[in-house]
Amino acid sequence: MTKLLLATNSEFGQANVFLAVCHALQQLDPDIALHITSFAPLAKHVEDASNFSIRTARQTHGPDIDPRPWIFHPLRGTTMVQALWNMKDDGILPWLVARPGFSTCRKIMAAGMTALLPWEPEEFVETCKELEEVVKEVGADLVVADCLFSHGLTVCQKLGVKYLVLSPNTLKEFAAFKQPWAAVVWKYPM
């Protein structure tokens, strides 16, 4: 039996990909053990997706198959969206609702990196410690980490576990910045 731990943010833009991957994997192998860790708002959606996946696996493979329910490991920390809303005055969210213009664009660019890691240092470290316990407890064959879930990437690297990074984005969003002469800014439409 293969055991996977999927670590993601709870926001649907990221988490939906993880729910879809879990469903696809369970349809291929009903005996797979799927563990998902994220913040509490995702719990009900994991349960619903797991129930749906179990029903469809039985329809596909027959009623004698007994697929495993997905196991959710909640994290107590602050979600990414909550952390973005909690950012200080220099955060990115006030500028997203501001009138478009050069100065607004400049301010958004300056706050961009902070927006990708919006947690206060103490919050980030606390969630990493909690996640580290989940990773050790589950003992998965492979951890699948959300590209924007910095806690997951940090813990996987620290513990030296086998992991891969999953993203809802295409390769273009990652590779375009590698183009010479800043071509991503002027040459390729986004």
Side-chain angles (χ1 to χ4, degrees):
M1 167 195 55
T2 304
K3 186 189 296 187
L4 296 181
L5 173 63
L6 295 94
T8 182
N9 278 310
S10 58
E11 289 74 27
F12 290 134
Q14 300 297 115
N16 282 347
V17 174
F18 284 76
L19 298 177
V21 164
C22 285
H23 174 73
L25 290 170
Q26 192 162 49
Q27 301 315 297
L28 292 171
D29 180 7
D31 194 43
I32 193 167
L34 296 166
H35 295 256
I36 300 175
T37 186
S38 186
F39 301 106
L42 192 61
K44 177 72 172 125
H45 304 288
V46 169
E47 181 183 349
D48 292 345
S50 175
N51 292 337
F52 173 78
S53 186
I54 289 169
R55 271 195 323 274
T56 56
R58 285 188 180 131
Q59 290 169 354
T60 303
H61 297 284
D64 297 337
I65 294 297
D66 194 22
R68 300 168 186 274
W70 307 350
I71 299 169
F72 183 71
H73 302 271
L75 300 173
R76 289 185 301 269
T78 307
T79 69
M80 188 171 199
V81 167
Q82 288 170 333
L84 282 166
W85 282 113
N86 294 341
M87 286 173 64
K88 306 289 186 260
D89 293 335
D90 60 346
I92 194 170
L93 289 178
W95 305 110
L96 292 179
V97 295
R99 184 179 177 146
F102 179 73
S103 64
T104 306
C105 183
R106 237 182 49 208
K107 290 173 183 172
I108 289 172
M109 297 294 281
M113 290 310 293
T114 306
L116 292 175
L117 203 66
W119 296 273
E120 292 295 321
E122 301 78 24
E123 287 179 308
F124 186 83
V125 169
E126 198 57 41
T127 301
C128 282
K129 287 178 183 176
E130 191 177 358
L131 180 59
E132 192 173 333
E133 292 304 314
V134 171
V135 171
K136 289 177 181 176
E137 174 191 322
V138 171
D141 299 310
L142 178 70
V143 177
V144 181
D146 180 342
C147 67
L148 290 180
F149 189 48
S150 303
H151 307 86
L153 300 172
T154 302
V155 168
C156 287
Q157 290 176 4
K158 177 186 177 200
L159 295 178
V161 298
K162 285 176 53 175
Y163 75 100
L164 63 83
V165 179
L166 181 61
S167 170
N169 300 329
T170 65
L171 186 58
K172 180 186 86 132
E173 282 84 26
F174 295 106
F177 292 94
K178 300 289 185 187
Q179 298 298 315
W181 304 101
V184 68
V185 178
W186 61 272
K187 189 172 184 181
Y188 302 106
M190 294 300 264

